[in-house]
Amino acid sequence: GRMACYHTWTNPSQHLCHRRMLGLRKASGMPEFSFEYHNHSSNRQDNGRLKTIDYGNGRSLELYYGDSHRVHEIRKPVGTTKTRQRVCSFDYHKHQRYTDVRDPYNKKTIFRYSKETWLTDIEKYNDNGGLAYHKKFFWFPYSSDQQNQAGNLITKANLDPSGHILHCTSYKYTRKG
């Protein structure tokens, strides 16, 4: 079997006091990768947030945060010049409960979620802005008599752009989940 080793450290200056930080990951037969965090950012709330994931051999991801202090954009080195380019960007719509994600070609994918923050829809759009793909998720709701089932995925369905079901998978759970 493979063994993985994770080195962590505690950042006592982090505004979320004493949060554990992942510093380095080693796994047998796999390359090492490390994590870099904001230490002394001009924006104090960014301190302690993940900044870079370094996979070695010039491969890395950089995370950029927006005003909401959530990841706004992910960039990575591309091509022979290793120029950092956007891999994807995120536009959060908290009150409407969805996130708009754009790929490097500006193709849109929308992730919708419930008030419980459970994923309810994934909508992928084509180059013309029309719906190309839609996946729906249905979850067991909170109820006083079946608390142990709340949050279990009941059904997921793939729909065509017209809303017709192409494929559907349903799940059943025991009392223990």
Side-chain angles (χ1 to χ4, degrees):
R2 290 191 172 159
M3 183 180 96
C5 179
Y6 298 91
H7 298 273
T8 61
W9 54 277
T10 302
N11 183 359
S13 65
Q14 169 65 12
H15 72 280
L16 300 171
C17 292
H18 305 291
R19 189 158 78 174
R20 301 281 303 167
M21 308 295 221
L22 189 58
L24 177 69
R25 178 191 171 273
K26 294 181 183 181
S28 60
M30 302 291 287
E32 263 181 34
F33 54 93
S34 60
F35 305 86
E36 181 184 349
Y37 299 86
H38 290 279
N39 287 336
H40 302 289
S41 172
S42 59
N43 184 344
R44 194 168 178 263
Q45 292 202 9
D46 280 349
N47 289 341
R49 293 184 186 272
L50 183 60
K51 179 181 179 182
T52 306
I53 303 171
D54 188 343
Y55 297 99
N57 298 327
R59 298 175 309 124
S60 64
L61 293 176
E62 284 189 2
L63 286 72
Y64 294 84
Y65 296 87
D67 293 339
S68 65
H69 304 292
R70 294 182 176 189
V71 174
H72 173 70
E73 192 171 278
I74 299 175
R75 296 181 190 171
K76 72 177 190 176
V78 178
T80 56
T81 62
K82 302 291 184 192
T83 305
R84 299 211 172 273
Q85 294 189 4
R86 178 175 61 103
V87 176
C88 59
S89 64
F90 306 89
D91 190 12
Y92 303 96
H93 301 270
K94 182 178 177 181
H95 299 294
Q96 293 88 6
R97 295 197 297 261
Y98 76 92
T99 301
D100 180 340
V101 180
R102 302 292 176 126
D103 71 9
Y105 306 103
N106 212 31
K107 284 190 181 177
K108 176 169 62 172
T109 302
I110 291 182
F111 294 86
R112 298 187 187 279
Y113 51 92
S114 68
K115 65 182 179 187
E116 297 85 6
T117 66
W118 301 335
L119 183 64
T120 59
D121 298 84
I122 300 173
E123 303 166 3
K124 288 191 176 259
Y125 291 83
N126 60 30
D127 292 334
N128 302 327
L131 185 63
Y133 172 85
H134 188 182
K135 186 177 255 187
K136 290 193 72 60
F137 300 86
F138 300 91
W139 304 88
F140 205 98
Y142 282 112
S143 67
S144 57
D145 59 333
Q146 295 185 338
Q147 278 289 326
N148 62 331
Q149 296 292 330
N152 286 344
L153 181 63
I154 299 170
T155 304
K156 64 180 178 182
N158 296 336
L159 295 90
D160 69 12
S162 302
H164 298 101
I165 296 173
L166 301 172
H167 181 264
C168 183
T169 304
S170 294
Y171 302 93
K172 278 188 145 184
Y173 300 90
T174 65
R175 276 185 270 221
K176 294 182 181 180

